[in-house]
Amino acid sequence: MERVAVETRVLSKNEECAQANRQLFKERGVVAVNFMSAPGAGKTSVLEKTLPALKDDCEIAVIEGDLYTTLDADRMHSAGIPAYQITTGTCCHLDARMITRALDEFPLGDTRLLVIENVGNMVCPAEFDLGEDFRVMVYSAVEGAEKPQKYPLMFQTAGAILLNKIDLIPYAGVSLEELTANVRKVNPKAPVFPISCRTGEGIPPWTNWFRELVLGLQ
Ligand code: MG
C-alpha cells in the first residue's frame, strides 16, 4: 500500500510540472514530441533521418535523455541540430522537472519543434508526462514480436509507432504482419510506419506524415 501511495505522489507532482511545461510550450508556440523506445531500437537514428526533412520548415531543438553519455547529443550536433543532454545517472526515465530544468540552461529561443529523446527503456518513460504534445514510439523488429503484449503502456500512449530495422526481419524469425498485428492488438488507432534507418526504406512516408503533423499542431 505504502509503495502505491508514494508512486501516486511522485506521479501527481510530475503532473503539476508537466502542466507547467505544456503551458510554456503553448505560450511559445512550440510543438513538443517525446520519442520513446527500448534501448537500441534506433531513436537517435530515427531523429537523424527525420529532422533534416523539417529543418527548412521550422527551428528544431532536441533534448536528449541518457543515463551517462553525451553520445546522442553529439550525433545531433553533427547533424547541425542544437541539442542539450540530460544525464540521468541511475534514473531510467525523464520526468517533467528534468525538462523544466533543462530549459533554464537551454532556452527555447525561436524553437518551434522541441524533440525529446527519452532514456531507452520500455517501461518507466511511458508513465511520466513531460508536457509533450505527442508521443512517438520506436519498436525494432529484432526485439521480439511479443513486446506489445508484455509492455502495452508505451504502445498505447504513442500517437505513432515506428517499426524500425525492417531490413533485419528475415533474420529475426518474425514477419511484418505478425509485428503489426501485435501492435494493433494494444493500439488499434496509431499509424504504424515500417522503416529501416539503415536502408532508408519507408522513411519518406514517415517524414512526410510527421512534417504534416508538426506543422498542423503549430
Ligand atoms: Mg539514442
Side-chain angles (χ1 to χ4, degrees):
M1 276 312 269
E2 181 54 22
R3 179 169 173 190
V4 172
V6 169
E7 277 182 7
T8 305
R9 279 201 299 277
V10 168
L11 287 173
S12 77
K13 184 76 203 156
N14 186 72
E15 196 48 41
E16 270 174 39
C17 214
Q19 288 300 350
N21 290 346
R22 189 168 280 114
Q23 184 61 29
L24 174 71
F25 297 147
K26 195 174 164 197
E27 284 165 12
R28 301 291 297 265
V30 171
V31 176
V33 184
N34 181 3
F35 279 72
M36 301 184 292
S37 78
K43 292 184 297 303
T44 314
S45 298
V46 164
L47 297 182
E48 286 172 325
K49 292 286 180 188
T50 306
L51 301 185
L54 284 96
K55 253 163 96 174
D56 293 339
D57 297 304
C58 60
E59 295 287 326
I60 304 170
V62 179
I63 292 177
E64 294 282 356
D66 194 84
L67 295 177
Y68 299 113
T69 78
T70 62
L71 294 170
D72 290 353
D74 296 343
R75 285 169 66 181
M76 287 301 112
H77 290 143
S78 299
I81 294 162
Y84 180 88
Q85 184 80 52
I86 298 173
T87 44
T88 61
T90 55
C91 189
C92 59
H93 59 269
L94 293 175
D95 65 30
R97 188 186 297 251
M98 292 178 198
I99 301 300
T100 310
R101 286 193 189 133
L103 292 173
D104 285 341
E105 292 182 28
F106 185 60
L108 286 165
D110 293 327
T111 299
R112 287 292 171 269
L113 169 60
L114 177 66
V115 170
I116 301 164
E117 180 183 337
N118 220 309
V119 178
N121 176 345
M122 216 181 243
V123 184
C124 309
E127 295 178 13
F128 286 82
D129 182 6
L130 306 179
E132 72 271 31
D133 295 287
F134 197 80
R135 290 181 167 187
V136 176
M137 181 178 180
V138 184
Y139 171 36
S140 84
V142 292
E143 287 171 46
E146 78 291 356
K147 290 298 178 292
Q149 279 64 51
K150 291 179 80 168
Y151 305 98
L153 186 63
M154 188 169 283
F155 289 89
Q156 286 161 344
T157 64
I161 296 163
L162 302 183
L163 206 42
N164 192 22
K165 307 192 189 184
I166 55 168
D167 52 304
L168 297 180
I169 281 180
Y171 313 101
V174 293
S175 69
L176 187 56
E177 292 69 27
E178 183 185 11
L179 293 167
T180 309
N182 286 351
V183 169
R184 283 271 161 263
K185 282 179 200 160
V186 295
N187 186 338
K189 280 198 211 146
V192 177
F193 294 92
I195 62 165
S196 166
C197 289
R198 197 175 69 82
T199 67
E201 188 180 353
I203 296 290
W206 151 245
T207 53
N208 289 339
W209 184 90
F210 186 64
R211 184 175 169 278
E212 293 300 313
L213 172 87
V214 169
L215 298 180
L217 287 173
Q218 279 172 349

